[in-house]
Amino acid sequence: MTQTAAARRPINRTTLYFFGALGGILFGYDLGVISGVLPFIGKTWNLTGWDKGVITASLSVGAIVGALFSSRMNEKLGRRRTIMVAAVIVIIGTIAASVSLSFALLIISRLVIGVGIGFSSSTVPTYLSELAPARQRGAMGALNQIFIVLGILIAFLVSYGLGPSGNWRLMFAGAVVPAVILLVGLIFLPETPRWLLANGQEEQARSVLKSSHGNSVNVDEEISTIREVIRLDTESAKTRFRDLWAPMVRPMLIVALLLAVGQQFSGVNAVNAYFPTMLIGLGFATQAALLSGVLLGITKFLFTAWVVFVVDRWGRKPLLLIGNVLMVITLVAAGFIVIEVHDVTTKGILMLVAMVLYLVGYELGWGAVVWVMMAEVFPLKARAAGMGISSVVLWAATGIISAIFPIISDPGALGLGGSMFLFAGINVVLFGLTKWLVPETKGRTLEQIELDLRGRHKARAKAEAA
């Protein structure tokens, strides 16, 4: 089916956003499934803490590679086709992981999956933000995070269901299902109007605007605004990654990188990937630990869904700050629980409560809001490159936390309690940086954000010249 045909067919907006955000399930499932797999492959191959860190972080390393090339693919193929390529890569890597006969082959398979996840994670937020009306963009962008946490929850449920049999290969294979649905669904969906107009396809761009925005948009006015931004971009040289450090774009790049690093250094992936392993280390049975993971997944899903209803009313920045406060309190509590509580059952229950409340704070702020804002802050010309580099940094941060957590949480190092205190301290720093650096973007079109950015840059340049 051709791009034109897909663009001209009336598209139900619910269908549009559902399949657009479905890429998040790939992201979430492959992040979450490792928590259920580790207890079984750890015994099968006698894995050390370092080995567990490597297999968990391998997904992130592959995602860095995918994110590095995502910008070029976005500009050349478009947002939609880039996500389709991502789905194909994930399918190939998942099948390979499911039949791997050695630890080395499993790492290579996870690297391949990571490449597809890197393409998807840096493209889906852009796809959604460029399709959504300004008043709904926060909610639509938050759909990406809803699907990420839904993917994590599904992975936890699959791991719990397959726990008695220990069939970790089927746990991995589950990722094929959302990847195939995503691939098939995108065949029938359009490209974004901004990419279409930038590539001389105005008729298709108008059709997509009508399908995705309904009667809420003045199509002529929207086309005119997008065309003006494209004209301004065309007058300047072709964007390179180093152009993201240009004075006009630099402040937004710093914000995006702060959000990318902060999301992972807040400690969330240590919880997502290792919580069942933590509980097993504290004396819990494997199946009970996997069930606790399911409870965490349900918490993540419910509070991420709630953020959809408040992100465009409360604003992005307040949610980030509230999330930091909750995470600091619960991480400090978790540290004291590990160190001071000695009864195994009591310790496990209190840790579960602390981590549930920790994830409430994370999903309120640094979960959905980060992906929304990273796709909002960059100018159109720099958006693909900006999302690419931001995703690279985010995945690098994910890989670092995934690799080092089994090492720093070892009793011979900081221990689990000390690791909780470390993450609490990082969240205190993130609170201060967010308060100081992060702007509010709710209720403004992407073009308004960009034109305001250009206006402030010109005003600053004039003041310096005077």
Side-chain angles (χ1 to χ4, degrees), residues 265-267 270 278 331-332 334-335 338-339 404-411 413-427:
F265 274 51
S266 68
M278 288 183 208
L331 285 167
V332 170
V338 171
I339 295 171
I404 69 170
F405 183 75
I407 299 172
I408 66 173
S409 61
D410 187 86
L414 292 178
L416 183 56
S419 300
M420 296 295 104
F421 291 141
L422 175 62
F423 286 130
I426 292 173
N427 276 283

Side-chain angles (χ1 to χ4, degrees), residues 72-93:
R72 182 172 296 180
M73 288 188 65
N74 263 269
E75 297 301 337
K76 195 165 187 177
L77 298 180
R79 287 43 162 155
R80 166 181 165 270
R81 288 179 181 143
T82 299
I83 301 172
M84 293 177 73
V85 170
V88 171
I89 294 174
V90 169
I91 291 169
I92 293 171

Side-chain angles (χ1 to χ4, degrees), residues 117-343:
I117 296 298
F119 284 143
S120 174
S121 65
S122 61
T123 306
V124 168
T126 301
Y127 184 74
L128 290 172
S129 69
E130 291 187 353
L131 282 171
R135 72 179 190 282
Q136 297 175 347
R137 197 178 58 245
M140 292 303 103
L143 271 180
N144 183 51
Q145 183 66 13
I146 287 179
F147 277 72
I148 289 174
V149 299
L150 179 59
I152 293 173
L153 174 57
I154 292 171
F156 287 168
L157 287 168
V158 170
S159 298
Y160 178 71
L162 294 173
S165 68
N167 194 334
W168 58 267
R169 297 184 186 278
L170 273 182
M171 294 179 190
F172 275 129
V176 170
V177 177
V180 170
I181 295 173
L182 176 65
L183 181 62
V184 173
L186 283 169
I187 293 174
F188 302 97
L189 292 183
E191 185 51 76
T192 70
R194 288 168 177 83
W195 187 89
L196 290 169
L197 200 59
N199 287 270
Q201 301 179 52
E202 182 173 335
E203 182 183 350
Q204 292 93 319
R206 287 178 177 274
S207 177
V208 175
L209 279 171
K210 291 177 182 177
S211 292
S212 61
H213 289 45
N215 297 324
S216 65
V217 66
N218 183 322
V219 174
D220 289 334
E221 182 179 329
E222 188 78 6
I223 289 289
S224 178
T225 304
I226 297 173
R227 187 182 288 117
E228 172 63 11
V229 171
I230 293 171
R231 183 189 66 78
L232 291 170
D233 288 335
T234 304
E235 290 176 353
S236 57
K238 184 178 180 181
T239 300
R240 297 156 294 185
F241 278 109
R242 68 169 177 261
D243 294 332
L244 293 172
W245 200 245
M248 186 190 77
V249 185
R250 187 188 309 153
M252 296 301 99
L253 175 64
I254 292 173
V255 169
L257 296 184
L258 166 63
L259 295 172
V261 172
Q263 187 190 69
Q264 293 304 313
F265 274 51
S266 68
V268 68
N269 209 44
V271 178
N272 287 339
Y274 296 109
F275 188 65
T277 304
M278 288 183 208
L279 291 184
I280 291 171
L282 294 175
F284 262 49
T286 299
Q287 199 62 8
L290 292 176
L291 177 59
S292 297
V294 172
L295 296 178
L296 291 188
I298 292 172
T299 300
K300 288 172 69 68
F301 179 75
L302 291 177
F303 278 88
T304 302
W306 185 62
V307 167
V308 170
F309 299 100
V310 300
V311 66
D312 285 316
R313 286 188 290 143
W314 290 17
R316 284 59 157 155
K317 189 170 181 175
L319 288 172
L320 290 172
L321 296 175
I322 291 170
N324 277 137
V325 171
L326 285 174
M327 287 190 288
V328 170
I329 293 171
T330 52
L331 285 167
V332 170
F336 278 112
I337 290 167
V338 171
I339 295 171
E340 300 296 336
V341 179
H342 302 292
D343 179 73

